[in-house]
Amino acid sequence: MDRGCFTYDQETTNPEVLSFIGTNDTASGFESRYEAGDEKFAIKAERRNGMIRVELVIPENCRYNRFNISIPVEKGLHYYGCGETHHALDLRGHKVRIFVAEHQNIKRTDKKMELFGPLDEPEGNLFDFDEYESYYVQPTFTTGGKWFLHAETKGFAEFDFSDPGEVRLNFQEAPVFWIGEGETFEEVSEKLTSLTGRQKELPDWIYDGAIIAVQGGTETIDLK
C-alpha cells in the first residue's frame, strides 16, 4: 500500500475441480459430498426462514485456501449491490472486488487527469469496475429476477458477473451464503435485511430541522 493505493496480486497453483461422490437428504435440505485428491468436502444446503443456506464444509487442515463457486443464472439478469463503489448501478458484465480501501486514491486520480484532463466529461472515460475500490463493501447482491445472494465472509472476495450464464464467486475462506427470493422487491428486501440488519426508525426531530456537522463538539455548537 502507498498513500491509499493497493497493489494486489496472487498466483493460483494446483487448482482442483471437486469430483462428485453422492448426495444425502437431510431433515431440511440435502448434503452433497465431493473429493479432491485425498481430501473430502461437502456442500450442505438447508431451508431456513424461507431462504436457502449453503455451506461449504472443508476438511481440517485443508491445504486449499481459494474457493471458486459457479452459480448458473438465466441470461439477461441485472445485478445490484456489493457495497458502495459509486461506479455503476448495474453490475452486469463487471468483476467486483470485495475489499475495503480508499475509494479513489491519488494514484488513480492522477492517472485519470493525465488521460482525460480535469475538465473532461466522465462519460465514456470510466475505468473497469475492478479498478475501483470502496470505503464500504458487502458480499451481497440482488438481481432483477427478484432474488439475492448474501455471503458470510470476512476475507477478500471477488464477484464476477461478466458471464451472462453464470455468476462466479471467488473466496479466500470456505464460504457460507444465503439465497432468497420474493414475489416483490419489498419481500426480497425484507428477507435480505433479516440477515444484514435494518436501519432503526429515525426520531421525529430529524424531520423538523437540520443536521449540522462541525468539529469541536457540543461546546463549539453552543458558542454564540
Side-chain angles (χ1 to χ4, degrees):
M1 183 191 74
D2 178 27
R3 291 180 294 178
C5 305
F6 282 86
T7 299
Y8 185 91
D9 192 19
Q10 63 177 330
E11 180 181 356
T12 302
T13 59
N14 302 321
E16 292 277 358
V17 177
L18 295 183
S19 299
F20 178 69
I21 299 176
T23 299
N24 293 331
D25 291 332
T26 62
S28 56
F30 65 87
E31 177 180 306
S32 294
R33 302 183 310 281
Y34 302 84
E35 64 181 2
D38 58 349
E39 295 193 289
K40 308 297 182 183
F41 299 81
I43 293 179
K44 293 183 178 181
E46 58 180 338
R47 289 194 173 274
R48 289 190 188 179
N49 303 321
M51 296 171 285
I52 299 175
R53 181 183 184 273
V54 181
E55 178 182 3
L56 175 62
V57 182
I58 64 175
E60 187 176 356
N61 299 320
C62 179
R63 66 175 179 269
Y64 299 104
N65 57 12
R66 299 293 186 272
F67 305 94
N68 303 323
I69 297 174
S70 175
I71 300 177
V73 297
E74 60 183 289
K75 293 184 177 180
L77 274 181
H78 299 275
Y79 306 93
Y80 312 97
C82 293
E84 300 175 359
T85 55
H86 307 296
H87 171 65
L89 177 63
D90 189 355
L91 307 179
R92 185 170 68 174
H94 296 289
K95 294 181 181 179
V96 184
R97 292 186 296 180
I98 308 299
F99 183 61
V100 175
E102 294 287 346
H103 171 61
Q104 271 297 20
N105 52 55
I106 188 170
K107 181 178 179 181
R108 289 186 173 85
T109 301
D110 287 348
K111 179 180 176 182
K112 201 160 190 177
M113 292 180 66
E114 179 182 347
L115 290 176
F116 311 119
L119 301 179
D120 287 350
E121 290 295 326
E123 185 176 354
N125 295 333
L126 296 175
F127 295 141
D128 291 335
F129 205 114
D130 58 7
E131 289 291 320
Y132 284 78
E133 293 162 330
S134 176
Y135 293 121
Y136 180 82
V137 293
Q138 184 171 315
T140 306
F141 66 86
T142 59
T143 76
K146 298 186 180 70
W147 62 270
F148 69 84
L149 184 146
H150 169 66
E152 296 178 356
T153 180
K154 295 181 179 179
F156 182 99
E158 184 178 72
F159 287 6
D160 186 351
F161 305 101
S162 58
D163 192 312
E166 66 179 354
V167 173
R168 300 188 186 101
L169 310 176
N170 304 316
F171 299 98
Q172 292 190 5
E173 61 183 10
V176 174
F177 56 89
W178 296 74
I179 298 176
E181 62 179 351
E183 294 294 329
T184 64
F185 286 110
E186 288 80 5
E187 184 180 352
V188 171
S189 178
E190 182 178 4
K191 289 183 177 181
L192 176 57
T193 55
S194 71
L195 300 171
T196 61
R198 299 186 179 119
Q199 176 84 24
K200 292 183 178 180
E201 184 176 358
L202 297 175
D204 293 337
W205 59 261
I206 208 167
Y207 299 101
D208 299 327
I211 299 176
I212 302 174
V214 296
Q215 293 183 336
T218 304
E219 293 180 359
T220 300
I221 295 175
D222 292 338
L223 289 177
K224 295 183 180 179

